[in-house]
Amino acid sequence: MIVGTSMFKMGGSAYFSPEFPRGGLAATFSVDVQNMTGSPTLTIKVEHRNEEDTTFSELGSFDNITTTGSPSKDLTGCKEILRFRFEFAAGDDAADGVHLLVQAPAWRPY
């Protein structure tokens, strides 16, 4: 069984995670970047909105990811609904890719 998600730049459009409900007003978000092909630069943003909002806004973003590892980001002020946005850098090749596992957020009150 393979665990995780593989993404390639291909045409350059962003990838989005499924939306998920807030579990607290603050959280630590973590990913486990297990493999890379080519020389990608991946940006991961955490986006959020309230139930009545029609668009997402950026809650925060990870530092650019260029190597395997387990980066994390601590964020506060979470709205009701969240998602991840994954984007490759403009200069990346269409075949550049990553395989990663998004960990469950570690929620806390604030």
Side-chain angles (χ1 to χ4, degrees):
M1 171 173 56
I2 297 175
V3 176
T5 301
S6 295
M7 292 179 274
F8 294 89
K9 180 178 178 183
M10 294 192 277
S13 296
Y15 292 86
F16 296 93
S17 73
E19 298 174 5
F20 55 95
R22 173 181 68 195
L25 296 176
T28 299
F29 299 90
S30 302
V31 296
D32 182 17
V33 182
Q34 300 171 340
N35 289 297
M36 300 183 112
T37 184
S39 298
T41 299
L42 181 67
T43 301
I44 302 174
K45 297 178 180 178
V46 180
E47 298 181 333
H48 65 159
R49 69 179 176 87
N50 284 324
E51 184 73 32
E52 67 274 3
D53 297 337
T54 57
T55 60
F56 281 88
S57 61
E58 185 179 325
L59 175 62
S61 65
F62 287 70
D63 293 336
N64 285 342
I65 298 170
T66 57
T67 61
T68 58
S70 299
S72 63
K73 188 68 176 179
D74 190 64
L75 300 171
T76 61
C78 301
K79 292 184 179 179
E80 298 168 346
I81 301 169
L82 296 98
R83 71 178 181 186
F84 290 96
R85 178 187 182 109
F86 304 90
E87 289 184 286
F88 290 91
D92 287 349
D93 186 73
D96 286 346
V98 299
H99 181 83
L100 55 80
L101 176 63
V102 178
Q103 304 291 336
W107 298 104
R108 61 182 190 283
Y110 191 73

